[in-house]
Amino acid sequence: MAKPEVIKTNYLVIETAMAAYAVLEDTRLLIATTLPDDHPFKEAERKMSEYCDDYGARGMRWASWQIAPLIESVWSGMTENEKDGDICWDFEFVPEFMLYCLNFDEEDVKPVIKGAEKLRDLYRTSRARCKAFVSKCKPSTVERDTFIQDCRDEAEKQWFYADLISDHPDAVERAFEAKEKPAEFVKALGEELDLHDFRSVP
């Protein structure tokens, strides 16, 4: 009986892909703490979550496998002090790198800049920036973020004015806490502000 073929695999890349997938899966939790609204990487977090919702488990597996070699190449060039305790690989480096150094757009996942050394520098400066950041807002949740995005979509649809939501954060917060429906809330808010309904224009 012939021996089965031995498949040579880089197990470090496999482990990195698994860690990356865990990060993406976390963005799909219904109840989870997310970054506060004024965090410098809030928009990056939103785009990552949106990518996961759009492409599902298959898309997340594909993305994880594509970005794993890049993550591993950047990590391998970190200093010994960084790799030996200063930065936790799976709970800090992998999720932070994905947030700071990757663009999750509508069709693909790409590095913000090209080159492992440049990405390493970007990671370090971004990490320092986030450590120094002091928020004036409380942490958010996926549920709240989804409500705000739904309201923005409705504001664009109803009033051609998505920033209606960011311009009136207190009203949005009250609507969320009262569990109002986005479409009804946005309609009432626009009417209260005497916004013009462009849909009625012939």
Side-chain angles (χ1 to χ4, degrees):
M1 182 176 178
K3 292 183 178 180
E5 180 184 358
V6 176
I7 301 175
K8 295 182 179 180
T9 308
N10 186 331
Y11 289 99
L12 289 176
V13 172
I14 291 177
E15 186 176 10
T16 301
M18 293 173 66
Y21 182 83
V23 173
L24 297 178
E25 183 63 26
D26 281 347
T27 71
R28 306 187 79 207
L29 296 177
L30 295 178
I31 301 175
T33 300
T34 63
L35 298 175
D37 291 346
D38 57 348
H39 192 280
F41 287 94
K42 181 65 176 182
E43 181 63 13
E45 179 190 60
R46 186 191 68 77
K47 287 185 176 180
M48 186 189 298
S49 180
E50 190 175 79
Y51 176 92
C52 294
D53 288 341
D54 288 345
Y55 290 98
R58 184 177 183 276
M60 291 190 295
R61 288 195 299 271
W62 179 88
S64 300
W65 188 246
Q66 294 299 312
I67 63 181
L70 177 63
I71 296 174
E72 184 58 33
S73 70
V74 174
W75 174 253
S76 66
M78 303 291 281
T79 67
E80 289 305 313
N81 284 339
E82 289 171 325
K83 291 191 290 185
D84 193 29
D86 285 355
I87 302 174
C88 178
W89 175 79
D90 48 358
F91 290 111
E92 291 182 304
F93 179 76
V94 174
E96 289 173 351
F97 179 87
M98 292 170 66
L99 187 66
Y100 305 157
C101 302
L102 298 178
N103 281 329
F104 288 78
D105 60 27
E106 295 179 355
E107 298 181 355
D108 205 353
V109 180
K110 299 178 181 178
V112 174
I113 53 177
K114 292 183 179 181
E117 190 60 42
K118 290 182 179 179
L119 286 168
R120 203 171 292 119
D121 290 341
L122 175 62
Y123 169 79
R124 289 174 176 138
T125 57
S126 298
R127 178 178 167 88
R129 179 186 179 192
C130 289
K131 281 186 172 295
F133 169 74
V134 178
S135 177
K136 296 180 181 179
C137 302
K138 62 182 181 180
S140 186
T141 64
V142 172
E143 184 181 12
R144 177 181 176 277
D145 292 347
T146 300
F147 175 81
I148 291 175
Q149 186 57 47
D150 288 346
C151 287
R152 287 185 62 85
D153 292 344
E154 283 293 334
E156 181 64 28
K157 177 182 176 182
Q158 295 185 33
W159 306 107
F160 297 95
Y161 178 24
D163 286 340
L164 170 69
I165 304 309
S166 54
D167 289 346
H168 297 84
D170 292 342
V172 174
E173 197 66 34
R174 287 194 296 270
F176 171 70
E177 292 176 356
K179 300 186 182 301
E180 296 186 35
K181 294 182 179 179
E184 296 175 0
F185 161 67
V186 169
K187 183 176 185 297
L189 180 60
E191 291 174 346
E192 179 183 342
L193 297 171
D194 292 327
L195 297 183
H196 185 71
D197 186 352
F198 289 99
R199 295 171 300 173
S200 63
V201 177

